[in-house]
Amino acid sequence: MQVLEKITVEDLKNKVLDGYEISREDARFLYNADYKELTQASKEIREKFCGDSFDMCTIINAKSGRCPENCKFCAQSAFYNTDVKTYSLLSKDIIVNDAIDKYNQGVPRYSLVSSGKNLSIEDIDNVCEIVEEIHRQVPVEVCISGGLINEEGFEKLKKAGVTRIHNNLETSRKFFPSICTTHLYDQKIKAIKAAKKANMEICSGGIIGLGESREDRLDMIYQLKELEVNSIPVNVLNPIPHTPLENNEILSEEEINRTIAVFRFVIPDATLRLAGGRANMAGLGKSAFEAGANAAITGDMLTTHGVTINDDKKMIESLNYKVRLIS
């Protein structure tokens, strides 16, 4: 009778270090493995493939509220009465001055985030002008989160100096209709592929704690792997009053860190960026950066408080990371 070899975290770690791509079955095993073994192994994988580099970015809510999409987690959706501030695209002076300030504080990547299904042609033209002015002032990398933009729009933004677009998948294809019904999962993928055709870098991840299963999270990370996305934001739901998910239970730090560690195994060289919800974690999310994450959004989020740049810089230094741009 053949005895099946018992799988271990150590074995999978060593295989990944040698270039092995873990299977879904491997990932399921890891999700339930000993927590300390899992996070330590993930840390070692991160050290091998990413070294001590830490990618730090900051965002500005460049256009807020009145969003026609019904994403159940979002304070900016017009479907929910959240009393969020609403305004059209901020002026060039406001955005440029903010970008200069953040760069001078040591943040090398700056992202303009816009509420809505997509940026209008007029807004794209205005953003291009703003980005060109930012680059006349400081050599910061500029990203944009502008929704379901087409290839022509991405080409304009690329020409103006936008190097990276952000478009979260949010969750799995299967679970997505439980979170949003006003646009389709395939529309997100189409926009990501259009940006890739325009030779732009891609930043795409999701939110955990929406009510999804671990299988949904695995579906999402394997979809991102298929799309060859390297910059992956991991948001943790911060339930917003008056949204449909206001009563969701906040995930434990162990569950957050298990997810990050498994993601690290699946895409060993990924830039795993702890994003929204980090302010609810102890130690500014320090345990997540010890479990495999190697990037963060610093400063305030879109409609919620985040972590100050100064506090983040101190924490990053304490972990022996070095702030660098990771392509």
Side-chain angles (χ1 to χ4, degrees):
M1 180 177 177
Q2 184 179 5
V3 178
L4 296 177
E5 184 179 351
K6 184 179 179 181
I7 189 172
T8 69
V9 173
E10 183 75 8
D11 289 340
L12 286 175
K13 179 199 73 176
N14 289 332
K15 286 183 176 181
V16 170
L17 292 175
D18 287 338
Y20 173 73
E21 296 184 7
I22 70 166
S23 67
R24 285 289 290 260
E25 184 178 353
D26 294 331
R28 292 187 190 104
F29 163 78
L30 289 167
Y31 237 134
N32 292 289
D34 180 84
Y35 177 65
K36 288 185 179 180
E37 287 183 26
L38 173 64
T39 53
Q40 177 59 35
S42 175
K43 179 181 178 183
E44 291 177 38
I45 293 170
R46 186 269 303 165
E47 290 172 342
K48 163 73 181 292
F49 289 94
C50 306
D52 62 357
S53 294
F54 192 98
D55 193 293
M56 188 162 65
C57 66
T58 189
I59 64 177
I60 184 171
N61 194 2
K63 182 179 180 183
S64 179
R66 295 192 295 265
C67 182
E69 307 306 298
N70 66 353
C71 304
K72 291 183 178 179
F73 54 81
C74 188
Q76 299 196 67
S77 172
F79 284 77
Y80 319 124
N81 297 315
T82 60
D83 297 323
V84 71
K85 290 182 180 179
T86 61
Y87 48 82
S88 300
L89 188 68
L90 293 172
S91 71
K92 179 167 71 173
D93 286 347
I94 290 175
I95 296 175
V96 171
N97 288 335
D98 187 63
I100 294 170
D101 175 62
K102 298 303 193 311
Y103 178 79
N104 288 338
Q105 290 187 62
V107 184
R109 197 183 294 280
Y110 185 79
S111 182
L112 283 68
V113 182
S114 170
S115 171
K117 188 164 193 169
N118 52 35
L119 285 174
S120 67
I121 295 174
E122 180 183 0
D123 280 341
I124 288 175
D125 289 341
N126 287 334
V127 167
C128 289
E129 184 180 333
I130 290 167
V131 172
E132 288 169 350
E133 183 58 32
I134 288 173
H135 284 149
R136 279 190 281 268
Q137 300 289 334
V138 288
V140 68
E141 291 289 316
V142 179
C143 317
I144 188 162
S145 179
L148 306 176
I149 300 171
N150 60 25
E151 187 177 347
E152 181 182 358
F154 286 130
E155 287 173 347
K156 279 187 178 182
L157 292 164
K158 173 72 173 178
K159 186 176 180 181
V162 177
T163 55
R164 176 177 288 182
I165 70 99
H166 168 260
N167 190 327
N168 272 346
L169 293 183
E170 310 301 4
T171 186
S172 70
R173 177 185 295 277
K174 180 180 177 182
F175 192 66
F176 186 78
S178 299
I179 297 301
C180 178
T181 59
T182 49
H183 64 272
L184 302 175
Y185 202 74
D186 280 326
Q187 288 178 284
K188 287 179 170 290
I189 291 178
K190 181 180 179 180
I192 288 171
K193 289 182 176 179
K196 288 172 77 76
K197 285 183 180 178
N199 294 315
M200 301 187 83
E201 298 174 6
I202 309 298
C203 181
S204 181
I207 306 174
I208 59 176
L210 298 171
E212 79 289 347
S213 67
R214 285 178 171 180
E215 284 296 312
D216 288 313
R217 296 175 203 158
L218 292 179
D219 283 347
M220 183 185 74
I221 193 65
Y222 276 100
Q223 177 70 77
L224 292 168
K225 182 178 181 179
E226 182 181 327
L227 290 167
E228 299 181 326
V229 174
N230 187 263
S231 176
I232 302 173
V234 180
N235 296 270
V236 182
L237 181 70
N238 185 6
I240 304 295
H242 308 299
T243 63
L245 303 185
E246 64 178 337
N247 295 317
N248 276 35
E249 184 177 349
I250 296 175
L251 294 180
S252 69
E253 290 201 17
E254 178 174 325
E255 185 66 14
I256 295 166
N257 294 343
R258 280 185 179 276
T259 301
I260 288 169
V262 172
F263 285 5
R264 173 62 64 196
F265 268 85
V266 176
I267 310 181
D269 63 348
T271 303
L272 294 179
R273 189 180 309 277
L274 203 56
R278 178 161 66 100
N280 292 327
M281 298 179 70
L284 313 182
K286 185 175 181 178
S287 63
F289 301 121
E290 294 173 319
N294 63 330
I297 297 178
T298 189
D300 287 339
M301 299 295 110
L302 295 177
T303 61
T304 58
H305 292 299
V307 180
T308 69
I309 294 172
N310 190 51
D311 285 343
D312 265 343
K313 288 167 70 174
K314 290 178 181 176
M315 179 194 60
I316 291 164
E317 184 178 355
S318 76
L319 292 168
N320 296 316
Y321 279 108
K322 301 291 187 296
V323 176
R324 301 185 180 99
L325 286 170
I326 305 176
S327 297

